[in-house]
Structures are given as structure tokens and as C-alpha cells.
Amino acid sequence: MFKKILVAIDRSNLTPVVFEQAVDLAAKDKAALMIFHCFVEEMLEPLMESRTGLDFYPSDVGAINPYETEIIQKEIEGIEQWLQSYHKKAEDRGVLAQYDQKSGNPDSAICQIAKEWGADLIVVGRKHHNQLTELFTGSVSNYVIHHAHCSVLVVKES
């Protein structure tokens, strides 16, 4: 029986399936649910690339201008609304839920927030990767399995 379940979601097609598994378990066990999304830092790189070339004002290299900040803020607000919709779905099913988002590396962020929140189960999805792709890029679910302090349920893409 689980008391605190963290479900890690992203914007993939697998997310509704992963979320349903987590909500079903939380409802069955009367567990609290943390809905978590990691805002991947690499999303900022295209904005930064235009700022890292030779520049007449070297002290400005890497700085984010107000327009770039506005774009980033709108993306974060979109994620916030998206997470709120999943939060509402959980609460509509009678599950005590909360949500959080962080910027960073998804694999370590999932393990960190699960530990900080005291989760006793992490639910993550696993997309189908060929072996060569996984060798070079790794897998969030694989990292979580090997580094989480608690049990992990991996929902595989069919």
C-alpha cells in the first residue's frame, strides 16, 4: 500500500496512460499524488545560441533579453495550465493531489523531488527507443530505476 505517489509527466503521447496508472493506484490506496513535470533546460538553448557568437558587446554574451524572458515565461505559464488540468482530473477522481514543475535534468529532478516530498512510489513512462539511441542518450526511466530511493513503476509504451 502506497501513501505518496509521484507521477512524472511530459508532453508525450504516453502521458495520459502514465497519469491514469498513477491516479488509479492513488485512488485505490487513498494515497496523495504529486504530479511533476521537469522543464528541460535545453529548451532555453535555442534562445541562448543567438547570444553566444562574436558580439560587439562581450559583457552581454549569454544574457537573456526581455523578449526572450517573455517567451520563457509564456512557456512556463502554459505548462502551469497543463499541470492544473491534470491536477483537476486527479481531484475529480477523489485523489488528494498537488503539482510542481522545475527546470533541470528530468532524471535527477524526478529522484530529488520524490525524495524531498517523501514519495514511496514513482510512476514514470518509458518510450520505445532503439538500443543505439538509448546507448547515446540514456533513458529517464532507467536512471530513475537505478537512483530512486523508493519503488518505481515504469509504464511502457505499447
Side-chain angles (χ1 to χ4, degrees):
M1 187 164 195
F2 299 106
K3 292 183 180 8
K4 287 184 147 186
I5 300 171
L6 182 137
V7 59
I9 60 174
D10 60 15
R11 299 257 184 150
S12 73
N13 294 336
L14 187 57
T15 291
V17 177
V18 172
F19 179 77
E20 280 304 312
Q21 284 274 354
V23 170
D24 287 348
L25 282 170
K28 179 179 131 319
D29 289 353
K30 295 183 178 29
L33 182 69
M34 167 68 76
I35 306 160
F36 179 70
H37 174 73
C38 187
F39 184 79
V40 181
E41 290 173 343
E42 284 76 32
M43 186 194 140
L44 302 179
E45 285 180 6
L47 298 174
M48 299 300 288
E49 282 176 8
S50 65
R51 312 293 295 163
T52 58
L54 293 177
D55 204 343
F56 289 109
Y57 304 101
S59 63
D60 196 28
V61 172
I64 298 177
N65 70 37
Y67 177 71
E68 293 165 337
T69 302
E70 184 179 327
I71 292 170
I72 293 166
Q73 188 60 40
K74 285 185 188 224
E75 179 64 23
I76 291 170
E77 288 170 6
I79 292 169
E80 179 84 14
Q81 291 174 349
W82 175 70
L83 287 170
Q84 286 175 357
S85 71
Y86 276 100
H87 177 262
K88 182 172 178 356
K89 289 177 187 177
E91 296 228 319
D92 287 349
R93 296 262 314 268
V95 173
L96 178 64
Q98 63 189 84
Y99 63 91
D100 195 7
Q101 65 175 318
K102 290 196 184 325
S103 172
N105 187 343
D107 44 20
S108 58
I110 291 166
C111 292
Q112 179 183 3
I113 195 161
K115 188 170 188 175
E116 289 171 2
W117 187 60
D120 50 7
L121 176 68
I122 300 171
V123 181
V124 294
R126 177 174 174 82
K127 299 174 194 102
H128 178 70
H129 294 290
N130 68 42
Q131 290 178 345
L132 186 59
T133 301
E134 191 160 316
L135 176 66
F136 287 110
T137 63
S139 159
V140 171
S141 59
N142 190 44
Y143 181 94
V144 172
I145 289 167
H146 289 94
H147 294 90
H149 77 286
C150 61
S151 298
V152 178
L153 171 62
V154 178
V155 180
K156 291 177 79 171
E157 185 175 55
S158 28

Short mmCIF file of all heavy atoms in Angstrom, two decimals, residues 57-112:
data_model
loop_
_atom_site.label_atom_id
_atom_site.label_comp_id
_atom_site.label_asym_id
_atom_site.label_seq_id
_atom_site.Cartn_x
_atom_site.Cartn_y
_atom_site.Cartn_z
N TYR A 57 29.52 43.59 -27.97
CA TYR A 57 29.44 43.87 -26.55
C TYR A 57 29.60 42.57 -25.77
O TYR A 57 28.63 41.98 -25.32
CB TYR A 57 28.11 44.54 -26.21
CG TYR A 57 27.86 45.78 -27.02
CD1 TYR A 57 27.02 45.74 -28.13
CD2 TYR A 57 28.50 46.97 -26.69
CE1 TYR A 57 26.82 46.87 -28.90
CE2 TYR A 57 28.30 48.10 -27.46
CZ TYR A 57 27.46 48.05 -28.56
OH TYR A 57 27.26 49.16 -29.31
N PRO A 58 30.84 42.10 -25.57
CA PRO A 58 31.08 40.81 -24.94
C PRO A 58 30.45 40.64 -23.56
O PRO A 58 30.10 39.55 -23.18
CB PRO A 58 32.60 40.71 -24.84
CG PRO A 58 33.12 41.72 -25.81
CD PRO A 58 32.07 42.77 -25.95
N SER A 59 30.26 41.73 -22.83
CA SER A 59 29.67 41.58 -21.50
C SER A 59 28.20 41.15 -21.57
O SER A 59 27.63 40.70 -20.60
CB SER A 59 29.77 42.90 -20.71
OG SER A 59 29.02 43.90 -21.38
N ASP A 60 27.60 41.26 -22.76
CA ASP A 60 26.20 40.90 -22.95
C ASP A 60 26.02 39.45 -23.41
O ASP A 60 24.91 38.96 -23.50
CB ASP A 60 25.59 41.85 -23.99
CG ASP A 60 24.08 41.81 -23.99
OD1 ASP A 60 23.51 41.52 -22.93
OD2 ASP A 60 23.49 42.07 -25.04
N VAL A 61 27.13 38.75 -23.70
CA VAL A 61 27.06 37.38 -24.21
C VAL A 61 26.39 36.48 -23.17
O VAL A 61 26.76 36.48 -22.00
CB VAL A 61 28.46 36.84 -24.57
CG1 VAL A 61 28.39 35.36 -24.92
CG2 VAL A 61 29.04 37.63 -25.71
N GLY A 62 25.38 35.74 -23.62
CA GLY A 62 24.70 34.81 -22.74
C GLY A 62 23.57 35.42 -21.94
O GLY A 62 22.83 34.72 -21.29
N ALA A 63 23.43 36.73 -21.99
CA ALA A 63 22.33 37.37 -21.26
C ALA A 63 21.02 37.13 -21.99
O ALA A 63 20.99 37.06 -23.21
CB ALA A 63 22.60 38.87 -21.12
N ILE A 64 19.96 37.03 -21.25
CA ILE A 64 18.65 36.84 -21.85
C ILE A 64 17.96 38.21 -21.88
O ILE A 64 17.83 38.87 -20.85
CB ILE A 64 17.80 35.83 -21.04
CG1 ILE A 64 18.49 34.47 -21.03
CG2 ILE A 64 16.40 35.73 -21.62
CD1 ILE A 64 17.76 33.44 -20.20
N ASN A 65 17.54 38.63 -23.07
CA ASN A 65 16.89 39.94 -23.17
C ASN A 65 15.42 39.83 -22.75
O ASN A 65 14.89 38.73 -22.61
CB ASN A 65 17.08 40.54 -24.57
CG ASN A 65 16.28 39.82 -25.64
OD1 ASN A 65 15.16 39.38 -25.40
ND2 ASN A 65 16.84 39.73 -26.83
N PRO A 66 14.75 40.95 -22.56
CA PRO A 66 13.35 40.92 -22.10
C PRO A 66 12.42 40.12 -23.01
O PRO A 66 11.51 39.46 -22.52
CB PRO A 66 12.96 42.41 -22.05
CG PRO A 66 14.27 43.12 -21.87
CD PRO A 66 15.29 42.30 -22.61
N TYR A 67 12.62 40.17 -24.32
CA TYR A 67 11.78 39.41 -25.25
C TYR A 67 11.94 37.91 -25.00
O TYR A 67 10.96 37.18 -24.96
CB TYR A 67 12.14 39.76 -26.70
CG TYR A 67 11.36 38.96 -27.71
CD1 TYR A 67 10.00 39.18 -27.90
CD2 TYR A 67 11.98 37.94 -28.44
CE1 TYR A 67 9.28 38.44 -28.82
CE2 TYR A 67 11.26 37.19 -29.35
CZ TYR A 67 9.92 37.44 -29.54
OH TYR A 67 9.20 36.70 -30.44
N GLU A 68 13.19 37.46 -24.81
CA GLU A 68 13.44 36.04 -24.54
C GLU A 68 12.84 35.64 -23.21
O GLU A 68 12.25 34.56 -23.08
CB GLU A 68 14.94 35.76 -24.57
CG GLU A 68 15.55 35.92 -25.95
CD GLU A 68 17.06 36.01 -25.94
OE1 GLU A 68 17.64 36.38 -24.88
OE2 GLU A 68 17.67 35.73 -26.97
N THR A 69 12.93 36.51 -22.22
CA THR A 69 12.34 36.24 -20.92
C THR A 69 10.83 36.09 -21.03
O THR A 69 10.23 35.21 -20.41
CB THR A 69 12.68 37.39 -19.92
OG1 THR A 69 14.09 37.51 -19.84
CG2 THR A 69 12.09 37.12 -18.55
N GLU A 70 10.20 36.92 -21.87
CA GLU A 70 8.76 36.84 -22.08
C GLU A 70 8.36 35.50 -22.71
O GLU A 70 7.37 34.88 -22.31
CB GLU A 70 8.30 38.00 -22.97
CG GLU A 70 6.81 38.07 -23.17
CD GLU A 70 6.42 39.24 -24.05
OE1 GLU A 70 7.08 40.30 -24.01
OE2 GLU A 70 5.43 39.07 -24.79
N ILE A 71 9.14 35.03 -23.69
CA ILE A 71 8.87 33.75 -24.34
C ILE A 71 8.96 32.62 -23.31
O ILE A 71 8.10 31.75 -23.25
CB ILE A 71 9.85 33.49 -25.50
CG1 ILE A 71 9.57 34.49 -26.64
CG2 ILE A 71 9.74 32.06 -26.01
CD1 ILE A 71 10.62 34.47 -27.73
N ILE A 72 10.00 32.64 -22.50
CA ILE A 72 10.20 31.61 -21.48
C ILE A 72 9.04 31.65 -20.48
O ILE A 72 8.49 30.62 -20.11
CB ILE A 72 11.56 31.79 -20.77
CG1 ILE A 72 12.69 31.53 -21.77
CG2 ILE A 72 11.66 30.88 -19.56
CD1 ILE A 72 14.05 32.00 -21.29
N GLN A 73 8.64 32.84 -20.06
CA GLN A 73 7.55 32.98 -19.10
C GLN A 73 6.25 32.43 -19.66
O GLN A 73 5.50 31.76 -18.97
CB GLN A 73 7.38 34.46 -18.67
CG GLN A 73 6.40 34.64 -17.55
CD GLN A 73 6.79 33.89 -16.29
OE1 GLN A 73 7.97 33.85 -15.91
NE2 GLN A 73 5.83 33.27 -15.64
N LYS A 74 5.98 32.70 -20.94
CA LYS A 74 4.75 32.18 -21.57
C LYS A 74 4.78 30.65 -21.62
O LYS A 74 3.75 30.00 -21.40
CB LYS A 74 4.57 32.76 -22.96
CG LYS A 74 4.10 34.19 -22.93
CD LYS A 74 3.80 34.72 -24.30
CE LYS A 74 3.52 36.19 -24.18
NZ LYS A 74 2.44 36.69 -24.89
N GLU A 75 5.92 30.07 -21.89
CA GLU A 75 6.04 28.61 -21.90
C GLU A 75 5.78 28.04 -20.51
O GLU A 75 5.05 27.07 -20.35
CB GLU A 75 7.43 28.18 -22.40
CG GLU A 75 7.65 26.70 -22.41
CD GLU A 75 6.75 25.93 -23.38
OE1 GLU A 75 6.25 26.52 -24.35
OE2 GLU A 75 6.53 24.73 -23.14
N ILE A 76 6.35 28.67 -19.50
CA ILE A 76 6.14 28.21 -18.12
C ILE A 76 4.67 28.34 -17.73
O ILE A 76 4.11 27.44 -17.09
CB ILE A 76 7.06 28.97 -17.15
CG1 ILE A 76 8.52 28.56 -17.40
CG2 ILE A 76 6.66 28.72 -15.69
CD1 ILE A 76 9.54 29.41 -16.67
N GLU A 77 4.01 29.43 -18.14
CA GLU A 77 2.58 29.60 -17.85
C GLU A 77 1.75 28.53 -18.55
O GLU A 77 0.77 28.03 -18.00
CB GLU A 77 2.13 31.00 -18.27
CG GLU A 77 2.64 32.10 -17.36
CD GLU A 77 2.41 33.50 -17.91
OE1 GLU A 77 1.73 33.65 -18.95
OE2 GLU A 77 2.92 34.45 -17.28
N GLY A 78 2.14 28.16 -19.78
CA GLY A 78 1.44 27.09 -20.50
C GLY A 78 1.57 25.77 -19.78
O GLY A 78 0.61 25.00 -19.68
N ILE A 79 2.76 25.50 -19.27
CA ILE A 79 2.99 24.27 -18.51
C ILE A 79 2.15 24.28 -17.23
O ILE A 79 1.56 23.28 -16.85
CB ILE A 79 4.49 24.08 -18.20
CG1 ILE A 79 5.26 23.81 -19.49
CG2 ILE A 79 4.71 22.96 -17.18
CD1 ILE A 79 6.77 23.87 -19.34
N GLU A 80 2.09 25.44 -16.60
CA GLU A 80 1.29 25.58 -15.36
C GLU A 80 -0.18 25.23 -15.63
O GLU A 80 -0.79 24.47 -14.87
CB GLU A 80 1.42 27.02 -14.84
CG GLU A 80 0.64 27.30 -13.60
CD GLU A 80 1.34 26.90 -12.32
OE1 GLU A 80 2.55 26.63 -12.34
OE2 GLU A 80 0.65 26.84 -11.29
N GLN A 81 -0.74 25.75 -16.71
CA GLN A 81 -2.14 25.46 -17.05
C GLN A 81 -2.32 23.98 -17.37
O GLN A 81 -3.32 23.37 -16.98
CB GLN A 81 -2.59 26.32 -18.23
CG GLN A 81 -2.71 27.77 -17.87
CD GLN A 81 -3.01 28.63 -19.09
OE1 GLN A 81 -2.94 28.20 -20.23
NE2 GLN A 81 -3.36 29.89 -18.83
N TRP A 82 -1.36 23.41 -18.08
CA TRP A 82 -1.39 21.99 -18.43
C TRP A 82 -1.38 21.13 -17.16
O TRP A 82 -2.16 20.19 -17.02
CB TRP A 82 -0.21 21.70 -19.34
CG TRP A 82 0.01 20.29 -19.73
CD1 TRP A 82 -0.76 19.52 -20.55
CD2 TRP A 82 1.12 19.49 -19.34
NE1 TRP A 82 -0.18 18.28 -20.70
CE2 TRP A 82 0.96 18.24 -19.96
CE3 TRP A 82 2.24 19.71 -18.53
CZ2 TRP A 82 1.88 17.20 -19.78
CZ3 TRP A 82 3.15 18.68 -18.37
CH2 TRP A 82 2.95 17.45 -18.99
N LEU A 83 -0.50 21.48 -16.21
CA LEU A 83 -0.43 20.74 -14.94
C LEU A 83 -1.72 20.90 -14.14
O LEU A 83 -2.20 19.95 -13.51
CB LEU A 83 0.77 21.20 -14.11
CG LEU A 83 2.13 20.74 -14.61
CD1 LEU A 83 3.25 21.47 -13.87
CD2 LEU A 83 2.28 19.24 -14.48
N GLN A 84 -2.30 22.10 -14.15
CA GLN A 84 -3.56 22.33 -13.45
C GLN A 84 -4.67 21.43 -14.00
O GLN A 84 -5.51 20.95 -13.23
CB GLN A 84 -3.98 23.79 -13.55
CG GLN A 84 -3.17 24.72 -12.68
CD GLN A 84 -3.53 26.19 -12.91
OE1 GLN A 84 -4.34 26.54 -13.75
NE2 GLN A 84 -2.90 27.05 -12.12
N SER A 85 -4.65 21.19 -15.32
CA SER A 85 -5.69 20.32 -15.89
C SER A 85 -5.52 18.88 -15.38
O SER A 85 -6.53 18.22 -15.10
CB SER A 85 -5.65 20.36 -17.43
OG SER A 85 -4.52 19.70 -17.94
N TYR A 86 -4.30 18.41 -15.24
CA TYR A 86 -4.09 17.07 -14.68
C TYR A 86 -4.45 17.05 -13.19
O TYR A 86 -5.01 16.07 -12.70
CB TYR A 86 -2.65 16.59 -14.91
CG TYR A 86 -2.48 15.98 -16.28
CD1 TYR A 86 -1.93 16.70 -17.33
CD2 TYR A 86 -2.89 14.67 -16.52
CE1 TYR A 86 -1.79 16.13 -18.60
CE2 TYR A 86 -2.77 14.10 -17.78
CZ TYR A 86 -2.22 14.83 -18.81
OH TYR A 86 -2.10 14.26 -20.05
N HIS A 87 -4.14 18.12 -12.48
CA HIS A 87 -4.49 18.22 -11.07
C HIS A 87 -6.01 18.10 -10.89
O HIS A 87 -6.49 17.37 -10.02
CB HIS A 87 -3.97 19.56 -10.52
CG HIS A 87 -4.33 19.81 -9.11
ND1 HIS A 87 -5.41 20.59 -8.74
CD2 HIS A 87 -3.76 19.38 -7.96
CE1 HIS A 87 -5.49 20.64 -7.43
NE2 HIS A 87 -4.50 19.91 -6.92
N LYS A 88 -6.76 18.79 -11.72
CA LYS A 88 -8.22 18.75 -11.67
C LYS A 88 -8.74 17.35 -11.95
O LYS A 88 -9.64 16.86 -11.27
CB LYS A 88 -8.83 19.75 -12.64
CG LYS A 88 -10.35 19.79 -12.58
CD LYS A 88 -10.94 20.88 -13.40
CE LYS A 88 -12.43 20.96 -13.42
NZ LYS A 88 -13.21 19.97 -12.76
N LYS A 89 -8.14 16.66 -12.94
CA LYS A 89 -8.55 15.29 -13.25
C LYS A 89 -8.37 14.38 -12.03
O LYS A 89 -9.22 13.54 -11.74
CB LYS A 89 -7.75 14.73 -14.43
CG LYS A 89 -8.10 15.35 -15.76
CD LYS A 89 -7.20 14.80 -16.86
CE LYS A 89 -7.44 15.55 -18.16
NZ LYS A 89 -6.55 15.11 -19.23
N ALA A 90 -7.26 14.54 -11.34
CA ALA A 90 -6.99 13.72 -10.15
C ALA A 90 -8.01 14.03 -9.05
O ALA A 90 -8.58 13.12 -8.44
CB ALA A 90 -5.57 13.95 -9.65
N GLU A 91 -8.22 15.31 -8.79
CA GLU A 91 -9.15 15.70 -7.74
C GLU A 91 -10.58 15.29 -8.07
O GLU A 91 -11.34 14.92 -7.18
CB GLU A 91 -9.04 17.20 -7.47
CG GLU A 91 -7.65 17.54 -6.95
CD GLU A 91 -7.65 18.41 -5.73
OE1 GLU A 91 -8.46 19.35 -5.67
OE2 GLU A 91 -6.82 18.14 -4.84
N ASP A 92 -10.94 15.32 -9.36
CA ASP A 92 -12.27 14.85 -9.78
C ASP A 92 -12.46 13.37 -9.49
O ASP A 92 -13.60 12.90 -9.36
CB ASP A 92 -12.50 15.11 -11.28
CG ASP A 92 -12.72 16.58 -11.60
OD1 ASP A 92 -12.90 17.39 -10.66
OD2 ASP A 92 -12.68 16.93 -12.80
N ARG A 93 -11.38 12.64 -9.39
CA ARG A 93 -11.43 11.20 -9.06
C ARG A 93 -11.32 10.97 -7.55
O ARG A 93 -11.21 9.84 -7.09
CB ARG A 93 -10.29 10.45 -9.76
CG ARG A 93 -10.36 10.46 -11.27
CD ARG A 93 -10.96 9.22 -11.88
NE ARG A 93 -10.50 7.97 -11.34
CZ ARG A 93 -9.47 7.26 -11.83
NH1 ARG A 93 -8.80 7.68 -12.88
NH2 ARG A 93 -9.14 6.13 -11.27
N GLY A 94 -11.30 12.06 -6.77
CA GLY A 94 -11.23 11.94 -5.32
C GLY A 94 -9.83 11.75 -4.77
O GLY A 94 -9.65 11.36 -3.62
N VAL A 95 -8.83 12.05 -5.58
CA VAL A 95 -7.44 11.89 -5.15
C VAL A 95 -6.90 13.23 -4.68
O VAL A 95 -7.00 14.24 -5.39
CB VAL A 95 -6.57 11.35 -6.32
CG1 VAL A 95 -5.09 11.34 -5.95
CG2 VAL A 95 -7.03 9.95 -6.72
N LEU A 96 -6.32 13.24 -3.49
CA LEU A 96 -5.66 14.43 -2.96
C LEU A 96 -4.39 14.63 -3.78
O LEU A 96 -3.49 13.80 -3.74
CB LEU A 96 -5.33 14.25 -1.48
CG LEU A 96 -4.59 15.40 -0.82
CD1 LEU A 96 -5.46 16.66 -0.81
CD2 LEU A 96 -4.20 15.02 0.60
N ALA A 97 -4.34 15.73 -4.53
CA ALA A 97 -3.22 15.92 -5.46
C ALA A 97 -2.62 17.31 -5.34
O ALA A 97 -3.28 18.25 -4.89
CB ALA A 97 -3.69 15.68 -6.89
N GLN A 98 -1.39 17.40 -5.75
CA GLN A 98 -0.69 18.66 -5.90
C GLN A 98 0.23 18.51 -7.11
O GLN A 98 0.40 17.40 -7.62
CB GLN A 98 0.08 19.02 -4.64
CG GLN A 98 1.18 18.05 -4.26
CD GLN A 98 1.75 18.36 -2.88
OE1 GLN A 98 1.20 17.93 -1.89
NE2 GLN A 98 2.84 19.09 -2.84
N TYR A 99 0.78 19.61 -7.55
CA TYR A 99 1.68 19.53 -8.70
C TYR A 99 2.85 20.47 -8.52
O TYR A 99 2.80 21.41 -7.73
CB TYR A 99 0.94 19.81 -10.02
CG TYR A 99 0.36 21.20 -10.13
CD1 TYR A 99 1.10 22.24 -10.68
CD2 TYR A 99 -0.93 21.47 -9.68
CE1 TYR A 99 0.57 23.51 -10.77
CE2 TYR A 99 -1.47 22.72 -9.78
CZ TYR A 99 -0.71 23.75 -10.33
OH TYR A 99 -1.23 25.01 -10.42
N ASP A 100 3.90 20.19 -9.29
CA ASP A 100 5.11 21.00 -9.23
C ASP A 100 5.82 20.89 -10.56
O ASP A 100 5.66 19.90 -11.29
CB ASP A 100 6.01 20.53 -8.10
CG ASP A 100 7.10 21.54 -7.74
OD1 ASP A 100 7.09 22.68 -8.27
OD2 ASP A 100 7.97 21.20 -6.93
N GLN A 101 6.60 21.91 -10.87
CA GLN A 101 7.45 21.87 -12.04
C GLN A 101 8.79 22.48 -11.68
O GLN A 101 8.87 23.34 -10.81
CB GLN A 101 6.81 22.61 -13.20
CG GLN A 101 6.64 24.11 -12.97
CD GLN A 101 6.11 24.81 -14.18
OE1 GLN A 101 6.55 24.54 -15.28
NE2 GLN A 101 5.17 25.73 -13.98
N LYS A 102 9.82 21.99 -12.31
CA LYS A 102 11.17 22.51 -12.09
C LYS A 102 11.89 22.54 -13.42
O LYS A 102 11.57 21.80 -14.34
CB LYS A 102 11.94 21.62 -11.12
CG LYS A 102 11.45 21.68 -9.70
CD LYS A 102 12.49 21.09 -8.76
CE LYS A 102 12.07 21.02 -7.32
NZ LYS A 102 11.28 22.00 -6.73
N SER A 103 12.89 23.37 -13.47
CA SER A 103 13.78 23.40 -14.62
C SER A 103 14.99 22.54 -14.28
O SER A 103 15.48 22.58 -13.17
CB SER A 103 14.22 24.84 -14.89
OG SER A 103 15.20 24.86 -15.88
N GLY A 104 15.42 21.74 -15.22
CA GLY A 104 16.60 20.93 -14.95
C GLY A 104 16.64 19.66 -15.75
O GLY A 104 15.93 19.50 -16.75
N ASN A 105 17.44 18.76 -15.29
CA ASN A 105 17.61 17.45 -15.90
C ASN A 105 16.49 16.55 -15.35
O ASN A 105 16.43 16.32 -14.14
CB ASN A 105 18.99 16.92 -15.53
CG ASN A 105 19.33 15.65 -16.24
OD1 ASN A 105 18.46 14.98 -16.78
ND2 ASN A 105 20.61 15.32 -16.23
N PRO A 106 15.60 16.04 -16.21
CA PRO A 106 14.44 15.29 -15.71
C PRO A 106 14.79 14.10 -14.82
O PRO A 106 14.13 13.90 -13.79
CB PRO A 106 13.74 14.81 -16.98
CG PRO A 106 14.20 15.71 -18.05
CD PRO A 106 15.58 16.15 -17.67
N ASP A 107 15.79 13.31 -15.19
CA ASP A 107 16.05 12.09 -14.40
C ASP A 107 16.45 12.41 -12.96
O ASP A 107 15.86 11.88 -12.03
CB ASP A 107 17.06 11.18 -15.10
CG ASP A 107 18.26 11.89 -15.67
OD1 ASP A 107 18.57 13.04 -15.25
OD2 ASP A 107 18.90 11.32 -16.56
N SER A 108 17.40 13.30 -12.77
CA SER A 108 17.81 13.61 -11.40
C SER A 108 16.75 14.44 -10.67
O SER A 108 16.57 14.28 -9.46
CB SER A 108 19.17 14.31 -11.38
OG SER A 108 19.13 15.50 -12.14
N ALA A 109 16.02 15.30 -11.40
CA ALA A 109 14.98 16.11 -10.77
C ALA A 109 13.85 15.23 -10.23
O ALA A 109 13.33 15.49 -9.14
CB ALA A 109 14.43 17.13 -11.77
N ILE A 110 13.48 14.20 -10.97
CA ILE A 110 12.43 13.29 -10.51
C ILE A 110 12.86 12.61 -9.21
O ILE A 110 12.09 12.57 -8.24
CB ILE A 110 12.11 12.24 -11.59
CG1 ILE A 110 11.42 12.91 -12.79
CG2 ILE A 110 11.24 11.11 -11.02
CD1 ILE A 110 11.35 12.06 -14.04
N CYS A 111 14.08 12.10 -9.18
CA CYS A 111 14.57 11.43 -7.96
C CYS A 111 14.66 12.40 -6.79
O CYS A 111 14.30 12.05 -5.66
CB CYS A 111 15.94 10.80 -8.23
SG CYS A 111 15.88 9.41 -9.38
N GLN A 112 15.11 13.61 -7.06
CA GLN A 112 15.26 14.60 -5.99
C GLN A 112 13.92 15.00 -5.39
O GLN A 112 13.75 15.00 -4.17
CB GLN A 112 15.98 15.83 -6.52
CG GLN A 112 16.16 16.91 -5.46
CD GLN A 112 16.80 18.16 -6.02
OE1 GLN A 112 17.09 18.28 -7.20
NE2 GLN A 112 17.03 19.12 -5.14
#
